[in-house]
């Protein structure tokens, strides 16, 4: 199912550009909750809510939003496969994972797929808004709950790849 939102006609009073967002989430109550939280921000607009990876690819390639909030598990094609497929098309849309998984394997797979941000679903509204603004502005964002597991995974991979630690 794809749900489309009404377009923003007036720019926000803050002078910030409107961040156009697509939410990819297969649980309706979660998608609606995230969309509602974002709607309170005058510089954010949810363009669409999709429930499958195939829909995510189709909507992002057609609408080219600024940001896609992507759950790892979606109906049909999973979220990370959808992210890879979208980024093969060299679109300007930034990808951010919003998922319940915080294990190092999932975080590593998400970063390898091309996400620029990673948030667990138990974040507070303030953290979600901060991350959306950071990723939309071209920055990376890893929530503190996933940073340590990710670094524990990347360190041994770097050593295995022959990357030497910095000397003193």
């Amino acid at each position: 199912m794809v749900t489309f939102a009404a377009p923003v006609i007036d720019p926000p009073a803050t002078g910030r550009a409107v961040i156009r967002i697509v939410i990819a989430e297969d649980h309706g109550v979660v998608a609606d909750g995230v969309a509602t939280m974002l709607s309170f921000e005058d510089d954010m607009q949810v363009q669409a809510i999709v429930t499958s990876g195939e829909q995510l690819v189709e909507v992002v390639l057609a609408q080219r939003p600024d940001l896609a909030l992507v759950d790892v598990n979606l109906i049909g094609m999973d979220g990370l496969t959808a992210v890879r497929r979208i980024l093969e098309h060299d679109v300007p849309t930034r990808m951010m994972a919003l998922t319940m998984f915080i294990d190092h394997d999932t975080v590593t797979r998400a970063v390898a797929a091309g996400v620029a941000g990673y948030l667990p679903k138990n974040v507070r509204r303030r953290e979600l808004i901060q991350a959306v603004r950071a990723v939309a502005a071209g920055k990376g964002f890893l929530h503190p709950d996933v940073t340590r597991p990710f670094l524990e995974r990347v360190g041994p991979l770097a050593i295995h790849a022959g990357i030497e630690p910095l000397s003193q």
Side-chain angles (χ1 to χ4, degrees):
M1 180 177 82
V2 179
T3 306
F4 292 99
V8 171
I9 297 170
D10 297 323
T14 61
R16 288 187 263 208
V18 173
I19 302 167
R20 297 166 302 125
I21 302 165
V22 169
I23 298 171
E25 171 59 60
D26 60 334
H27 293 98
V29 71
V30 174
D32 290 346
V34 171
T36 299
M37 284 190 278
L38 297 175
S39 74
F40 287 114
E41 302 300 314
D42 64 356
D43 62 334
M44 296 181 191
Q45 189 232 352
V46 175
Q47 288 186 312
I49 297 172
V50 300
T51 58
S52 74
E54 292 86 358
Q55 292 168 344
L56 178 61
V57 172
E58 180 182 335
V59 169
V60 168
L61 293 181
Q63 294 192 7
R64 298 186 179 260
D66 302 305
L67 179 78
L69 284 173
V70 182
D71 189 7
V72 171
N73 285 336
L74 295 173
I75 298 169
M77 180 192 308
D78 69 85
L80 299 183
T81 300
V83 166
R84 277 192 296 280
R85 292 225 178 125
I86 290 165
L87 295 178
E88 288 172 357
H89 292 273
D90 197 32
V91 296
T93 304
R94 307 275 295 167
M95 303 288 160
M96 183 162 62
L98 180 63
T99 185
M100 61 185 243
F101 300 102
I102 62 170
D103 62 281
H104 59 77
D105 286 331
T106 305
V107 177
T108 302
R109 287 187 311 111
V111 171
V115 301
Y118 197 103
L119 286 175
K121 284 184 179 175
N122 65 349
V123 295
R124 307 292 298 179
R125 180 179 172 275
R126 171 183 43 78
E127 294 171 299
L128 174 64
I129 300 305
Q130 176 188 9
V132 166
R133 286 189 177 128
V135 172
K139 299 175 183 171
F141 192 96
L142 283 179
H143 189 272
D145 288 352
V146 301
T147 303
R148 186 71 185 160
F150 177 71
L151 293 175
E152 288 171 354
R153 172 74 173 179
V154 172
L157 291 175
I159 292 169
H160 181 70
I163 300 171
E164 295 294 323
L166 295 176
S167 60
Q168 295 183 5

